[in-house]
Amino acid sequence: MYIWLATNLDFFFLSGKCYMKELTILIPSLRGGGLEKSILTLACEIEKRGFDLDFVVVNTIKSAYEVSPSLNFINLNTSRILFAIFPLVKYLRKAKPRVLFSAGTPLNSIAVIARWISGYPKRLILGERNHLSSIVKNSNRFRDKLRPFFVKYLYPKADLIVAVSKSVAEDVVDAGDLDKNKVLIIHNIFDVDNIIAQAKEPIGLSWLDEQNIPTLVNVGRLNLQKDQATLLKAFALVRDKKPCQLIILGEGEERSSLEQLTKDLNISNDIYMPGFVDNPYSYMLRANMLILSSAWEGLPGVLVEALACGTSIVSTDCPGGASEILKNGKYGTLVKPGDPDQIAKAILTVLEKPMATEVLIHRARDFSLKKIIPEYLDIFQLESNES
């Protein structure tokens, strides 16, 4: 009892005073992923609108994104999310944010505990970014098996849970037996105009700029979730019927096994895997098609980015938001996950009849700054001065 009172003493004395920070946005890292890119964009856009916020990360290990100098950036500098509890508590006691927005299941649990210890923030919002039950089903790690337990017993302590897609929202409610009235759907945010502008930048690969055969592109971490192994098998089937080339952008633990698979399938000469690139949009624009081969997703941002580039899409209809983005196949072809034959057939069909560029770009704007930012300002209870 004494310890609990001591840790919350300043909250009791200061609860009637003004908070120092309007908003804190908390993410695990700045590694090259959709969560990091989307939340960093959100933080920059809110800061541009004149709101007082801190952008906080657990660590900057293997960072792929740079933070704008205008952002008030704070690195908790801990090697693992679990170790971030006490640095986060220390930060919360000092900054006293009115609102804390945390993104990512493990970090969300830490945010709930840190709030209980520190007494801050007044309003805690958790962002659910991925399909929880798919992670639990496909992971061999014990800590991943515990995720539903933490969701069930810690998430109810938050004021609101924001899911990036309908599928993710329904899944987290079921997994944690949560009150569905506390779960809201807000899609990831995309600077569509900036994507279009960056897509026009040169790549510096003459063979791609002067292509005379179809080019397919896949963007994502090289891991089991993204299932590039199935994509390679599908590409081998396509390659047997039609000359083409495949670019896979991303880095991850499956690189060596994927490289070996390209040799086994005798397609190495038609595959280009440069790793993580700063500007994937230039590749998307020059490709005939983007392929998403994932076994599960949250809200796959690469689909929105491909739409913004006007690039036709073949995507697995995996758990997550793929079908939501593509409106059940209206803006791209959906296929069964893990089925190389279906993917290959879809690729060949779309190569013969791609979708109209203008239609795809128009759909991408449904995820633009203009639409999504007001939804976040609303849940953060920030009043915009923009007309």
PDB file of all heavy atoms in Angstrom, residues 122-158:
ATOM      1  N   LYS A 122      -4.111  11.251 -18.401  1.00  0.00           N
ATOM      2  CA  LYS A 122      -5.537  11.292 -18.092  1.00  0.00           C
ATOM      3  C   LYS A 122      -6.316  10.399 -19.051  1.00  0.00           C
ATOM      4  O   LYS A 122      -7.271   9.730 -18.652  1.00  0.00           O
ATOM      5  CB  LYS A 122      -6.050  12.732 -18.190  1.00  0.00           C
ATOM      6  CG  LYS A 122      -7.533  12.882 -17.914  1.00  0.00           C
ATOM      7  CD  LYS A 122      -7.969  14.330 -18.045  1.00  0.00           C
ATOM      8  CE  LYS A 122      -9.472  14.468 -17.789  1.00  0.00           C
ATOM      9  NZ  LYS A 122      -9.924  15.881 -17.964  1.00  0.00           N
ATOM     10  N   ARG A 123      -5.902  10.398 -20.312  1.00  0.00           N
ATOM     11  CA  ARG A 123      -6.597   9.624 -21.343  1.00  0.00           C
ATOM     12  C   ARG A 123      -5.592   8.717 -22.052  1.00  0.00           C
ATOM     13  O   ARG A 123      -4.607   9.196 -22.621  1.00  0.00           O
ATOM     14  CB  ARG A 123      -7.274  10.560 -22.341  1.00  0.00           C
ATOM     15  CG  ARG A 123      -8.055   9.866 -23.467  1.00  0.00           C
ATOM     16  CD  ARG A 123      -8.865  10.905 -24.244  1.00  0.00           C
ATOM     17  NE  ARG A 123      -9.510  10.358 -25.431  1.00  0.00           N
ATOM     18  CZ  ARG A 123     -10.657   9.655 -25.417  1.00  0.00           C
ATOM     19  NH1 ARG A 123     -11.259   9.416 -24.260  1.00  0.00           N
ATOM     20  NH2 ARG A 123     -11.189   9.197 -26.537  1.00  0.00           N
ATOM     21  N   LEU A 124      -5.832   7.399 -22.033  1.00  0.00           N
ATOM     22  CA  LEU A 124      -4.939   6.416 -22.645  1.00  0.00           C
ATOM     23  C   LEU A 124      -5.649   5.730 -23.807  1.00  0.00           C
ATOM     24  O   LEU A 124      -6.719   5.150 -23.637  1.00  0.00           O
ATOM     25  CB  LEU A 124      -4.496   5.377 -21.612  1.00  0.00           C
ATOM     26  CG  LEU A 124      -3.640   4.220 -22.139  1.00  0.00           C
ATOM     27  CD1 LEU A 124      -2.336   4.739 -22.747  1.00  0.00           C
ATOM     28  CD2 LEU A 124      -3.349   3.212 -21.029  1.00  0.00           C
ATOM     29  N   ILE A 125      -5.026   5.794 -24.973  1.00  0.00           N
ATOM     30  CA  ILE A 125      -5.577   5.176 -26.179  1.00  0.00           C
ATOM     31  C   ILE A 125      -4.562   4.159 -26.696  1.00  0.00           C
ATOM     32  O   ILE A 125      -3.377   4.470 -26.853  1.00  0.00           O
ATOM     33  CB  ILE A 125      -5.863   6.231 -27.264  1.00  0.00           C
ATOM     34  CG1 ILE A 125      -6.852   7.266 -26.736  1.00  0.00           C
ATOM     35  CG2 ILE A 125      -6.402   5.569 -28.530  1.00  0.00           C
ATOM     36  CD1 ILE A 125      -7.040   8.463 -27.650  1.00  0.00           C
ATOM     37  N   LEU A 126      -5.036   2.953 -26.961  1.00  0.00           N
ATOM     38  CA  LEU A 126      -4.178   1.878 -27.454  1.00  0.00           C
ATOM     39  C   LEU A 126      -4.471   1.618 -28.927  1.00  0.00           C
ATOM     40  O   LEU A 126      -5.630   1.459 -29.307  1.00  0.00           O
ATOM     41  CB  LEU A 126      -4.396   0.600 -26.640  1.00  0.00           C
ATOM     42  CG  LEU A 126      -4.292   0.732 -25.112  1.00  0.00           C
ATOM     43  CD1 LEU A 126      -4.543  -0.622 -24.463  1.00  0.00           C
ATOM     44  CD2 LEU A 126      -2.923   1.289 -24.708  1.00  0.00           C
ATOM     45  N   GLY A 127      -3.425   1.559 -29.724  1.00  0.00           N
ATOM     46  CA  GLY A 127      -3.586   1.273 -31.144  1.00  0.00           C
ATOM     47  C   GLY A 127      -3.278  -0.181 -31.436  1.00  0.00           C
ATOM     48  O   GLY A 127      -2.160  -0.643 -31.216  1.00  0.00           O
ATOM     49  N   GLU A 128      -4.263  -0.908 -31.913  1.00  0.00           N
ATOM     50  CA  GLU A 128      -4.068  -2.318 -32.277  1.00  0.00           C
ATOM     51  C   GLU A 128      -3.772  -2.379 -33.773  1.00  0.00           C
ATOM     52  O   GLU A 128      -4.608  -2.017 -34.599  1.00  0.00           O
ATOM     53  CB  GLU A 128      -5.299  -3.145 -31.924  1.00  0.00           C
ATOM     54  CG  GLU A 128      -5.079  -4.638 -31.974  1.00  0.00           C
ATOM     55  CD  GLU A 128      -4.014  -5.115 -30.986  1.00  0.00           C
ATOM     56  OE1 GLU A 128      -3.779  -4.466 -29.947  1.00  0.00           O
ATOM     57  OE2 GLU A 128      -3.398  -6.169 -31.266  1.00  0.00           O
ATOM     58  N   ARG A 129      -2.584  -2.873 -34.127  1.00  0.00           N
ATOM     59  CA  ARG A 129      -2.072  -2.749 -35.485  1.00  0.00           C
ATOM     60  C   ARG A 129      -2.073  -4.047 -36.286  1.00  0.00           C
ATOM     61  O   ARG A 129      -1.871  -4.009 -37.495  1.00  0.00           O
ATOM     62  CB  ARG A 129      -0.632  -2.223 -35.444  1.00  0.00           C
ATOM     63  CG  ARG A 129      -0.384  -1.109 -34.461  1.00  0.00           C
ATOM     64  CD  ARG A 129      -1.102   0.146 -34.810  1.00  0.00           C
ATOM     65  NE  ARG A 129      -0.689   0.674 -36.089  1.00  0.00           N
ATOM     66  CZ  ARG A 129      -1.167   1.802 -36.601  1.00  0.00           C
ATOM     67  NH1 ARG A 129      -2.081   2.501 -35.939  1.00  0.00           N
ATOM     68  NH2 ARG A 129      -0.748   2.236 -37.774  1.00  0.00           N
ATOM     69  N   ASN A 130      -2.255  -5.179 -35.624  1.00  0.00           N
ATOM     70  CA  ASN A 130      -2.112  -6.440 -36.329  1.00  0.00           C
ATOM     71  C   ASN A 130      -3.208  -7.417 -35.924  1.00  0.00           C
ATOM     72  O   ASN A 130      -3.952  -7.171 -34.961  1.00  0.00           O
ATOM     73  CB  ASN A 130      -0.734  -7.050 -36.054  1.00  0.00           C
ATOM     74  CG  ASN A 130      -0.136  -7.708 -37.281  1.00  0.00           C
ATOM     75  OD1 ASN A 130      -0.837  -8.345 -38.060  1.00  0.00           O
ATOM     76  ND2 ASN A 130       1.168  -7.567 -37.450  1.00  0.00           N
ATOM     77  N   HIS A 131      -3.300  -8.522 -36.647  1.00  0.00           N
ATOM     78  CA  HIS A 131      -4.341  -9.520 -36.419  1.00  0.00           C
ATOM     79  C   HIS A 131      -3.859 -10.460 -35.321  1.00  0.00           C
ATOM     80  O   HIS A 131      -3.076 -11.389 -35.554  1.00  0.00           O
ATOM     81  CB  HIS A 131      -4.635 -10.272 -37.720  1.00  0.00           C
ATOM     82  CG  HIS A 131      -5.934 -10.994 -37.718  1.00  0.00           C
ATOM     83  ND1 HIS A 131      -6.041 -12.331 -37.393  1.00  0.00           N
ATOM     84  CD2 HIS A 131      -7.193 -10.569 -37.990  1.00  0.00           C
ATOM     85  CE1 HIS A 131      -7.314 -12.699 -37.481  1.00  0.00           C
ATOM     86  NE2 HIS A 131      -8.026 -11.656 -37.839  1.00  0.00           N
ATOM     87  N   LEU A 132      -4.344 -10.225 -34.101  1.00  0.00           N
ATOM     88  CA  LEU A 132      -3.821 -10.865 -32.903  1.00  0.00           C
ATOM     89  C   LEU A 132      -3.876 -12.391 -32.963  1.00  0.00           C
ATOM     90  O   LEU A 132      -2.885 -13.072 -32.685  1.00  0.00           O
ATOM     91  CB  LEU A 132      -4.577 -10.356 -31.678  1.00  0.00           C
ATOM     92  CG  LEU A 132      -4.154 -10.916 -30.318  1.00  0.00           C
ATOM     93  CD1 LEU A 132      -2.718 -10.565 -30.020  1.00  0.00           C
ATOM     94  CD2 LEU A 132      -5.076 -10.386 -29.232  1.00  0.00           C
ATOM     95  N   SER A 133      -5.023 -12.947 -33.308  1.00  0.00           N
ATOM     96  CA  SER A 133      -5.163 -14.406 -33.281  1.00  0.00           C
ATOM     97  C   SER A 133      -4.246 -15.081 -34.290  1.00  0.00           C
ATOM     98  O   SER A 133      -3.771 -16.202 -34.064  1.00  0.00           O
ATOM     99  CB  SER A 133      -6.620 -14.813 -33.531  1.00  0.00           C
ATOM    100  OG  SER A 133      -7.055 -14.399 -34.806  1.00  0.00           O
ATOM    101  N   SER A 134      -3.956 -14.413 -35.409  1.00  0.00           N
ATOM    102  CA  SER A 134      -3.033 -14.979 -36.401  1.00  0.00           C
ATOM    103  C   SER A 134      -1.612 -15.008 -35.863  1.00  0.00           C
ATOM    104  O   SER A 134      -0.861 -15.959 -36.115  1.00  0.00           O
ATOM    105  CB  SER A 134      -3.090 -14.168 -37.697  1.00  0.00           C
ATOM    106  OG  SER A 134      -4.335 -14.306 -38.336  1.00  0.00           O
ATOM    107  N   ILE A 135      -1.230 -13.966 -35.128  1.00  0.00           N
ATOM    108  CA  ILE A 135       0.094 -13.955 -34.508  1.00  0.00           C
ATOM    109  C   ILE A 135       0.227 -15.105 -33.522  1.00  0.00           C
ATOM    110  O   ILE A 135       1.217 -15.855 -33.531  1.00  0.00           O
ATOM    111  CB  ILE A 135       0.346 -12.617 -33.799  1.00  0.00           C
ATOM    112  CG1 ILE A 135       0.407 -11.478 -34.808  1.00  0.00           C
ATOM    113  CG2 ILE A 135       1.645 -12.669 -32.987  1.00  0.00           C
ATOM    114  CD1 ILE A 135       0.514 -10.101 -34.186  1.00  0.00           C
ATOM    115  N   VAL A 136      -0.774 -15.278 -32.677  1.00  0.00           N
ATOM    116  CA  VAL A 136      -0.753 -16.345 -31.672  1.00  0.00           C
ATOM    117  C   VAL A 136      -0.697 -17.714 -32.342  1.00  0.00           C
ATOM    118  O   VAL A 136       0.064 -18.603 -31.932  1.00  0.00           O
ATOM    119  CB  VAL A 136      -1.992 -16.243 -30.754  1.00  0.00           C
ATOM    120  CG1 VAL A 136      -2.044 -17.431 -29.796  1.00  0.00           C
ATOM    121  CG2 VAL A 136      -1.972 -14.931 -29.986  1.00  0.00           C
ATOM    122  N   LYS A 137      -1.466 -17.890 -33.388  1.00  0.00           N
ATOM    123  CA  LYS A 137      -1.542 -19.175 -34.089  1.00  0.00           C
ATOM    124  C   LYS A 137      -0.232 -19.534 -34.783  1.00  0.00           C
ATOM    125  O   LYS A 137       0.177 -20.708 -34.787  1.00  0.00           O
ATOM    126  CB  LYS A 137      -2.677 -19.127 -35.117  1.00  0.00           C
ATOM    127  CG  LYS A 137      -2.811 -20.392 -35.946  1.00  0.00           C
ATOM    128  CD  LYS A 137      -3.929 -20.231 -36.967  1.00  0.00           C
ATOM    129  CE  LYS A 137      -4.032 -21.470 -37.872  1.00  0.00           C
ATOM    130  NZ  LYS A 137      -5.099 -21.291 -38.890  1.00  0.00           N
ATOM    131  N   ASN A 138       0.441 -18.553 -35.344  1.00  0.00           N
ATOM    132  CA  ASN A 138       1.601 -18.826 -36.186  1.00  0.00           C
ATOM    133  C   ASN A 138       2.948 -18.666 -35.484  1.00  0.00           C
ATOM    134  O   ASN A 138       3.980 -18.980 -36.072  1.00  0.00           O
ATOM    135  CB  ASN A 138       1.574 -17.911 -37.410  1.00  0.00           C
ATOM    136  CG  ASN A 138       0.465 -18.262 -38.385  1.00  0.00           C
ATOM    137  OD1 ASN A 138       0.592 -19.183 -39.191  1.00  0.00           O
ATOM    138  ND2 ASN A 138      -0.652 -17.549 -38.301  1.00  0.00           N
ATOM    139  N   SER A 139       2.932 -18.190 -34.255  1.00  0.00           N
ATOM    140  CA  SER A 139       4.194 -17.968 -33.548  1.00  0.00           C
ATOM    141  C   SER A 139       4.522 -19.134 -32.611  1.00  0.00           C
ATOM    142  O   SER A 139       3.636 -19.718 -31.993  1.00  0.00           O
ATOM    143  CB  SER A 139       4.112 -16.669 -32.732  1.00  0.00           C
ATOM    144  OG  SER A 139       5.298 -16.483 -31.985  1.00  0.00           O
ATOM    145  N   ASN A 140       5.815 -19.426 -32.522  1.00  0.00           N
ATOM    146  CA  ASN A 140       6.292 -20.444 -31.580  1.00  0.00           C
ATOM    147  C   ASN A 140       6.829 -19.812 -30.297  1.00  0.00           C
ATOM    148  O   ASN A 140       7.260 -20.537 -29.394  1.00  0.00           O
ATOM    149  CB  ASN A 140       7.407 -21.273 -32.234  1.00  0.00           C
ATOM    150  CG  ASN A 140       6.887 -22.107 -33.395  1.00  0.00           C
ATOM    151  OD1 ASN A 140       5.797 -22.667 -33.327  1.00  0.00           O
ATOM    152  ND2 ASN A 140       7.677 -22.203 -34.463  1.00  0.00           N
ATOM    153  N   ARG A 141       6.789 -18.496 -30.219  1.00  0.00           N
ATOM    154  CA  ARG A 141       7.337 -17.804 -29.054  1.00  0.00           C
ATOM    155  C   ARG A 141       6.314 -17.778 -27.922  1.00  0.00           C
ATOM    156  O   ARG A 141       5.149 -17.418 -28.135  1.00  0.00           O
ATOM    157  CB  ARG A 141       7.765 -16.382 -29.414  1.00  0.00           C
ATOM    158  CG  ARG A 141       8.850 -16.335 -30.478  1.00  0.00           C
ATOM    159  CD  ARG A 141       9.367 -14.927 -30.721  1.00  0.00           C
ATOM    160  NE  ARG A 141       8.308 -14.003 -31.120  1.00  0.00           N
ATOM    161  CZ  ARG A 141       8.534 -12.749 -31.491  1.00  0.00           C
ATOM    162  NH1 ARG A 141       9.778 -12.281 -31.498  1.00  0.00           N
ATOM    163  NH2 ARG A 141       7.539 -11.970 -31.860  1.00  0.00           N
ATOM    164  N   PHE A 142       6.759 -18.102 -26.724  1.00  0.00           N
ATOM    165  CA  PHE A 142       5.869 -18.167 -25.566  1.00  0.00           C
ATOM    166  C   PHE A 142       5.237 -16.809 -25.272  1.00  0.00           C
ATOM    167  O   PHE A 142       4.050 -16.728 -24.930  1.00  0.00           O
ATOM    168  CB  PHE A 142       6.650 -18.658 -24.344  1.00  0.00           C
ATOM    169  CG  PHE A 142       5.831 -18.717 -23.084  1.00  0.00           C
ATOM    170  CD1 PHE A 142       4.797 -19.634 -22.948  1.00  0.00           C
ATOM    171  CD2 PHE A 142       6.082 -17.836 -22.034  1.00  0.00           C
ATOM    172  CE1 PHE A 142       4.033 -19.680 -21.789  1.00  0.00           C
ATOM    173  CE2 PHE A 142       5.322 -17.886 -20.872  1.00  0.00           C
ATOM    174  CZ  PHE A 142       4.301 -18.808 -20.759  1.00  0.00           C
ATOM    175  N   ARG A 143       6.033 -15.734 -25.432  1.00  0.00           N
ATOM    176  CA  ARG A 143       5.489 -14.409 -25.127  1.00  0.00           C
ATOM    177  C   ARG A 143       4.356 -14.024 -26.079  1.00  0.00           C
ATOM    178  O   ARG A 143       3.460 -13.276 -25.690  1.00  0.00           O
ATOM    179  CB  ARG A 143       6.597 -13.358 -25.155  1.00  0.00           C
ATOM    180  CG  ARG A 143       7.279 -13.127 -26.485  1.00  0.00           C
ATOM    181  CD  ARG A 143       8.307 -12.019 -26.337  1.00  0.00           C
ATOM    182  NE  ARG A 143       9.015 -11.713 -27.568  1.00  0.00           N
ATOM    183  CZ  ARG A 143      10.158 -12.265 -27.934  1.00  0.00           C
ATOM    184  NH1 ARG A 143      10.711 -13.181 -27.135  1.00  0.00           N
ATOM    185  NH2 ARG A 143      10.760 -11.922 -29.050  1.00  0.00           N
ATOM    186  N   ASP A 144       4.384 -14.541 -27.309  1.00  0.00           N
ATOM    187  CA  ASP A 144       3.280 -14.265 -28.225  1.00  0.00           C
ATOM    188  C   ASP A 144       2.023 -15.028 -27.829  1.00  0.00           C
ATOM    189  O   ASP A 144       0.906 -14.552 -28.037  1.00  0.00           O
ATOM    190  CB  ASP A 144       3.679 -14.620 -29.658  1.00  0.00           C
ATOM    191  CG  ASP A 144       4.640 -13.616 -30.257  1.00  0.00           C
ATOM    192  OD1 ASP A 144       4.613 -12.444 -29.825  1.00  0.00           O
ATOM    193  OD2 ASP A 144       5.418 -13.983 -31.151  1.00  0.00           O
ATOM    194  N   LYS A 145       2.204 -16.200 -27.268  1.00  0.00           N
ATOM    195  CA  LYS A 145       1.051 -16.977 -26.808  1.00  0.00           C
ATOM    196  C   LYS A 145       0.337 -16.285 -25.644  1.00  0.00           C
ATOM    197  O   LYS A 145      -0.853 -16.532 -25.396  1.00  0.00           O
ATOM    198  CB  LYS A 145       1.502 -18.378 -26.370  1.00  0.00           C
ATOM    199  CG  LYS A 145       2.208 -19.191 -27.448  1.00  0.00           C
ATOM    200  CD  LYS A 145       1.313 -19.492 -28.628  1.00  0.00           C
ATOM    201  CE  LYS A 145       2.039 -20.366 -29.660  1.00  0.00           C
ATOM    202  NZ  LYS A 145       1.190 -20.620 -30.860  1.00  0.00           N
ATOM    203  N   LEU A 146       1.066 -15.414 -24.940  1.00  0.00           N
ATOM    204  CA  LEU A 146       0.494 -14.707 -23.790  1.00  0.00           C
ATOM    205  C   LEU A 146      -0.277 -13.443 -24.182  1.00  0.00           C
ATOM    206  O   LEU A 146      -0.932 -12.829 -23.338  1.00  0.00           O
ATOM    207  CB  LEU A 146       1.603 -14.328 -22.803  1.00  0.00           C
ATOM    208  CG  LEU A 146       2.273 -15.467 -22.040  1.00  0.00           C
ATOM    209  CD1 LEU A 146       3.411 -14.924 -21.193  1.00  0.00           C
ATOM    210  CD2 LEU A 146       1.265 -16.196 -21.158  1.00  0.00           C
ATOM    211  N   ARG A 147      -0.193 -13.049 -25.442  1.00  0.00           N
ATOM    212  CA  ARG A 147      -0.817 -11.785 -25.852  1.00  0.00           C
ATOM    213  C   ARG A 147      -2.303 -11.699 -25.511  1.00  0.00           C
ATOM    214  O   ARG A 147      -2.759 -10.673 -25.001  1.00  0.00           O
ATOM    215  CB  ARG A 147      -0.598 -11.560 -27.352  1.00  0.00           C
ATOM    216  CG  ARG A 147       0.830 -11.213 -27.717  1.00  0.00           C
ATOM    217  CD  ARG A 147       0.922 -10.749 -29.155  1.00  0.00           C
ATOM    218  NE  ARG A 147       2.305 -10.517 -29.563  1.00  0.00           N
ATOM    219  CZ  ARG A 147       2.669  -9.689 -30.513  1.00  0.00           C
ATOM    220  NH1 ARG A 147       1.749  -8.996 -31.182  1.00  0.00           N
ATOM    221  NH2 ARG A 147       3.943  -9.530 -30.839  1.00  0.00           N
ATOM    222  N   PRO A 148      -3.116 -12.739 -25.783  1.00  0.00           N
ATOM    223  CA  PRO A 148      -4.544 -12.633 -25.442  1.00  0.00           C
ATOM    224  C   PRO A 148      -4.774 -12.414 -23.943  1.00  0.00           C
ATOM    225  O   PRO A 148      -5.729 -11.724 -23.558  1.00  0.00           O
ATOM    226  CB  PRO A 148      -5.110 -13.981 -25.893  1.00  0.00           C
ATOM    227  CG  PRO A 148      -4.178 -14.450 -26.957  1.00  0.00           C
ATOM    228  CD  PRO A 148      -2.823 -13.990 -26.518  1.00  0.00           C
ATOM    229  N   PHE A 149      -3.913 -12.980 -23.112  1.00  0.00           N
ATOM    230  CA  PHE A 149      -4.036 -12.791 -21.666  1.00  0.00           C
ATOM    231  C   PHE A 149      -3.875 -11.317 -21.300  1.00  0.00           C
ATOM    232  O   PHE A 149      -4.690 -10.756 -20.542  1.00  0.00           O
ATOM    233  CB  PHE A 149      -2.970 -13.632 -20.947  1.00  0.00           C
ATOM    234  CG  PHE A 149      -2.888 -13.379 -19.466  1.00  0.00           C
ATOM    235  CD1 PHE A 149      -3.751 -14.020 -18.588  1.00  0.00           C
ATOM    236  CD2 PHE A 149      -1.955 -12.478 -18.950  1.00  0.00           C
ATOM    237  CE1 PHE A 149      -3.678 -13.772 -17.214  1.00  0.00           C
ATOM    238  CE2 PHE A 149      -1.880 -12.234 -17.591  1.00  0.00           C
ATOM    239  CZ  PHE A 149      -2.746 -12.882 -16.727  1.00  0.00           C
ATOM    240  N   PHE A 150      -2.841 -10.686 -21.843  1.00  0.00           N
ATOM    241  CA  PHE A 150      -2.608  -9.271 -21.545  1.00  0.00           C
ATOM    242  C   PHE A 150      -3.704  -8.384 -22.129  1.00  0.00           C
ATOM    243  O   PHE A 150      -4.108  -7.397 -21.512  1.00  0.00           O
ATOM    244  CB  PHE A 150      -1.237  -8.839 -22.054  1.00  0.00           C
ATOM    245  CG  PHE A 150      -0.093  -9.449 -21.297  1.00  0.00           C
ATOM    246  CD1 PHE A 150       0.772 -10.333 -21.911  1.00  0.00           C
ATOM    247  CD2 PHE A 150       0.107  -9.142 -19.963  1.00  0.00           C
ATOM    248  CE1 PHE A 150       1.827 -10.899 -21.200  1.00  0.00           C
ATOM    249  CE2 PHE A 150       1.142  -9.705 -19.239  1.00  0.00           C
ATOM    250  CZ  PHE A 150       2.015 -10.590 -19.869  1.00  0.00           C
ATOM    251  N   VAL A 151      -4.177  -8.742 -23.316  1.00  0.00           N
ATOM    252  CA  VAL A 151      -5.271  -7.982 -23.922  1.00  0.00           C
ATOM    253  C   VAL A 151      -6.518  -8.057 -23.055  1.00  0.00           C
ATOM    254  O   VAL A 151      -7.187  -7.048 -22.804  1.00  0.00           O
ATOM    255  CB  VAL A 151      -5.566  -8.494 -25.346  1.00  0.00           C
ATOM    256  CG1 VAL A 151      -6.879  -7.917 -25.865  1.00  0.00           C
ATOM    257  CG2 VAL A 151      -4.426  -8.120 -26.285  1.00  0.00           C
ATOM    258  N   LYS A 152      -6.824  -9.240 -22.573  1.00  0.00           N
ATOM    259  CA  LYS A 152      -8.047  -9.437 -21.780  1.00  0.00           C
ATOM    260  C   LYS A 152      -8.003  -8.678 -20.462  1.00  0.00           C
ATOM    261  O   LYS A 152      -9.013  -8.092 -20.032  1.00  0.00           O
ATOM    262  CB  LYS A 152      -8.264 -10.928 -21.519  1.00  0.00           C
ATOM    263  CG  LYS A 152      -9.536 -11.220 -20.739  1.00  0.00           C
ATOM    264  CD  LYS A 152      -9.784 -12.717 -20.627  1.00  0.00           C
ATOM    265  CE  LYS A 152     -11.100 -12.995 -19.895  1.00  0.00           C
ATOM    266  NZ  LYS A 152     -11.398 -14.448 -19.820  1.00  0.00           N
ATOM    267  N   TYR A 153      -6.837  -8.668 -19.801  1.00  0.00           N
ATOM    268  CA  TYR A 153      -6.787  -8.108 -18.457  1.00  0.00           C
ATOM    269  C   TYR A 153      -6.219  -6.689 -18.375  1.00  0.00           C
ATOM    270  O   TYR A 153      -6.413  -6.011 -17.359  1.00  0.00           O
ATOM    271  CB  TYR A 153      -5.985  -9.039 -17.533  1.00  0.00           C
ATOM    272  CG  TYR A 153      -6.713 -10.338 -17.279  1.00  0.00           C
ATOM    273  CD1 TYR A 153      -6.360 -11.501 -17.950  1.00  0.00           C
ATOM    274  CD2 TYR A 153      -7.790 -10.380 -16.388  1.00  0.00           C
ATOM    275  CE1 TYR A 153      -7.043 -12.691 -17.733  1.00  0.00           C
ATOM    276  CE2 TYR A 153      -8.485 -11.565 -16.163  1.00  0.00           C
ATOM    277  CZ  TYR A 153      -8.109 -12.702 -16.846  1.00  0.00           C
ATOM    278  OH  TYR A 153      -8.809 -13.877 -16.638  1.00  0.00           O
ATOM    279  N   LEU A 154      -5.528  -6.231 -19.419  1.00  0.00           N
ATOM    280  CA  LEU A 154      -4.956  -4.893 -19.373  1.00  0.00           C
ATOM    281  C   LEU A 154      -5.672  -3.903 -20.293  1.00  0.00           C
ATOM    282  O   LEU A 154      -5.844  -2.734 -19.931  1.00  0.00           O
ATOM    283  CB  LEU A 154      -3.464  -4.943 -19.734  1.00  0.00           C
ATOM    284  CG  LEU A 154      -2.567  -5.672 -18.725  1.00  0.00           C
ATOM    285  CD1 LEU A 154      -1.122  -5.673 -19.208  1.00  0.00           C
ATOM    286  CD2 LEU A 154      -2.653  -5.040 -17.342  1.00  0.00           C
ATOM    287  N   TYR A 155      -6.097  -4.339 -21.481  1.00  0.00           N
ATOM    288  CA  TYR A 155      -6.735  -3.421 -22.406  1.00  0.00           C
ATOM    289  C   TYR A 155      -7.992  -2.740 -21.837  1.00  0.00           C
ATOM    290  O   TYR A 155      -8.246  -1.571 -22.151  1.00  0.00           O
ATOM    291  CB  TYR A 155      -7.080  -4.138 -23.709  1.00  0.00           C
ATOM    292  CG  TYR A 155      -5.949  -4.185 -24.717  1.00  0.00           C
ATOM    293  CD1 TYR A 155      -4.623  -4.383 -24.307  1.00  0.00           C
ATOM    294  CD2 TYR A 155      -6.188  -4.048 -26.076  1.00  0.00           C
ATOM    295  CE1 TYR A 155      -3.594  -4.437 -25.218  1.00  0.00           C
ATOM    296  CE2 TYR A 155      -5.156  -4.103 -27.004  1.00  0.00           C
ATOM    297  CZ  TYR A 155      -3.863  -4.296 -26.568  1.00  0.00           C
ATOM    298  OH  TYR A 155      -2.841  -4.339 -27.476  1.00  0.00           O
ATOM    299  N   PRO A 156      -8.794  -3.433 -21.023  1.00  0.00           N
ATOM    300  CA  PRO A 156      -9.973  -2.747 -20.455  1.00  0.00           C
ATOM    301  C   PRO A 156      -9.622  -1.531 -19.600  1.00  0.00           C
ATOM    302  O   PRO A 156     -10.494  -0.691 -19.337  1.00  0.00           O
ATOM    303  CB  PRO A 156     -10.641  -3.838 -19.620  1.00  0.00           C
ATOM    304  CG  PRO A 156     -10.233  -5.116 -20.270  1.00  0.00           C
ATOM    305  CD  PRO A 156      -8.812  -4.875 -20.702  1.00  0.00           C
ATOM    306  N   LYS A 157      -8.367  -1.434 -19.139  1.00  0.00           N
ATOM    307  CA  LYS A 157      -7.958  -0.287 -18.326  1.00  0.00           C
ATOM    308  C   LYS A 157      -7.752   0.974 -19.163  1.00  0.00           C
ATOM    309  O   LYS A 157      -7.661   2.075 -18.619  1.00  0.00           O
ATOM    310  CB  LYS A 157      -6.648  -0.605 -17.595  1.00  0.00           C
ATOM    311  CG  LYS A 157      -6.652  -1.901 -16.801  1.00  0.00           C
ATOM    312  CD  LYS A 157      -7.667  -1.885 -15.681  1.00  0.00           C
ATOM    313  CE  LYS A 157      -7.591  -3.177 -14.861  1.00  0.00           C
ATOM    314  NZ  LYS A 157      -8.633  -3.224 -13.806  1.00  0.00           N
ATOM    315  N   ALA A 158      -7.664   0.808 -20.492  1.00  0.00           N
ATOM    316  CA  ALA A 158      -7.504   1.962 -21.375  1.00  0.00           C
ATOM    317  C   ALA A 158      -8.854   2.629 -21.607  1.00  0.00           C
ATOM    318  O   ALA A 158      -9.917   2.038 -21.383  1.00  0.00           O
ATOM    319  CB  ALA A 158      -6.891   1.525 -22.702  1.00  0.00           C
TER     320      ALA A 158
END
